[in-house]
Amino acid sequence: MKKLLPLALAACAATLALPAAAQFAKPEDAIKYRQAAFVVMAKHFGSLRAMAEGKAPFDVKVAAADADVIAAVSHLPYTGFIPGTEKGGNTEAKPEIWQQQAKFKEAADKTAGELDKVIAAARSGSLDSLKTAVGSAGRTCKACHDDFRKKD
Amino acid sequence: MKKLLPLALAACAATLALPAAAQFAKPEDAIKYRQAAFVVMAKHFGSLRAMAEGKAPFDVKVAAADADVIAAVSHLPYTGFIPGTEKGGNTEAKPEIWQQQAKFKEAADKTAGELDKVIAAARSGSLDSLKTAVGSAGRTCKACHDDFRKKD
C-alpha cells in the first residue's frame, strides 16, 4: 500500500495542476505567482470588506471594479501549488496542502464558491447582500488559512 | 518658481492616484500590491509570448484566458505608485517615477495601449496578430523598465 502513495499523490497533483498558463520555469516562480495572485485578491477583497463593514463609503462603481479583479484572479493562486513547490522562496504553505490534496481542493473550491457570491453581491449594488457575502467568504478564507497556511 | 514644484508634483500625483480601491494602510502595502500585479501580468504575458515565439503550442483557449487576466490586472500596478512609496519594501522603482510623473504616465498609458492590442489579438485566435502585438508590447514594456526600474 505504502508504495502506491507517491503515485496517488502525483495523480492528485495532476488534477490540481493546470496546462500552459500554469507552467513555471522554476519552483520559486510558482511560489511568487501564487503569492502575488493572493496579494491582488486580498487587496480587492479588503476594499469590499471595508465597504461591508462601514469603514469605507459604499461606492457601487468601486465595488464592481473590485469584483471584476477578484473574478479574474481568484482561481489563479491554486495553479501555483504544484509538486516541488512545498518549500522555497518565502512560502507560508503548510505541507498539508500536498499531504491532503483532496481536502485542499475542497477548501479551494469552497472558497471559489464563496467568492462567486461576493462578486455577484458587489455587482448587484446591494450593500446588504455584500455584507452577508463578505462575512461568509471571510470565514471561509480564514478556515483555509488556519488549515493550510503557516502562522506569520 | 521653485516653491511651486512640490505643489505641481502633488497635483500630478493626484491624477495618478485612484480612489478607494487604491487606498493602502501602509506604504509597504502599496509596493507589495504593485509588484504583485506586475508578477501576475508578467506570468500571463509570458505565456502569450511563449506561444507567439513558438516556444509553447498556440492554444486559443489558454491565450484567451491569459488575455482575460491581463485585461483585469494591467491597469492595477500604477495605482500603487503613490507619494511616500519611493522607497521601502524591496522596490525597484527609480525616483524618476515621481520626478517625471508626466513621462511616467505617458509610458504607462502607452503600455496600456499596447496591452489592449495584445488582449484583442489573443482573443482573436490569430497567431499572426498575436506575434505582432506581443513583439510591440514587449518593446514598450522594456522601454518603461529601462527608464523607471532599477537593474536587478
Side-chain angles (χ1 to χ4, degrees), chain A:
Chain A
M1 269 305 279
K2 223 171 177 183
K3 274 185 185 167
L4 285 174
L5 194 62
L7 201 67
L9 281 179
C12 286
T15 63
L16 272 180
L18 293 185
Q23 289 175 348
F24 299 94
K26 300 190 300 284
E28 289 74 17
D29 292 347
I31 295 169
K32 204 172 161 185
Y33 173 77
R34 70 196 185 204
Q35 291 179 335
F38 274 129
V39 164
V40 173
M41 182 161 62
K43 169 78 186 93
H44 292 272
F45 183 77
S47 167
L48 291 176
R49 190 172 51 199
M51 288 187 251
E53 294 177 349
K55 291 175 184 164
F58 180 50
D59 182 318
V60 179
K61 277 192 187 174
V62 173
D66 287 329
D68 288 347
V69 176
I70 294 171
V73 304
S74 62
H75 60 292
L76 302 181
Y78 307 103
T79 65
F81 289 101
I82 50 177
T85 64
E86 297 85 344
K87 290 180 183 179
N90 57 347
T91 186
E92 295 175 339
K94 282 188 185 176
E96 280 79 355
I97 290 174
W98 292 270
Q99 290 163 355
Q100 305 172 7
Q101 293 246 344
K103 190 183 166 191
F104 180 62
K105 183 163 188 336
E106 193 185 329
D109 288 346
K110 193 177 174 191
T111 305
E114 292 291 335
L115 286 173
D116 281 345
K117 290 181 203 165
V118 170
I119 292 160
R123 287 172 174 165
S124 77
S126 156
L127 182 55
D128 279 342
S129 301
L130 189 63
K131 283 178 185 175
T132 306
V134 162
S136 181
R139 285 186 291 275
T140 309
C141 291
K142 189 184 176 302
C144 196
H145 293 166
D146 288 346
D147 286 345
F148 296 109
R149 191 178 70 173
K150 289 172 190 161
K151 301 263 179 278
D152 280 335

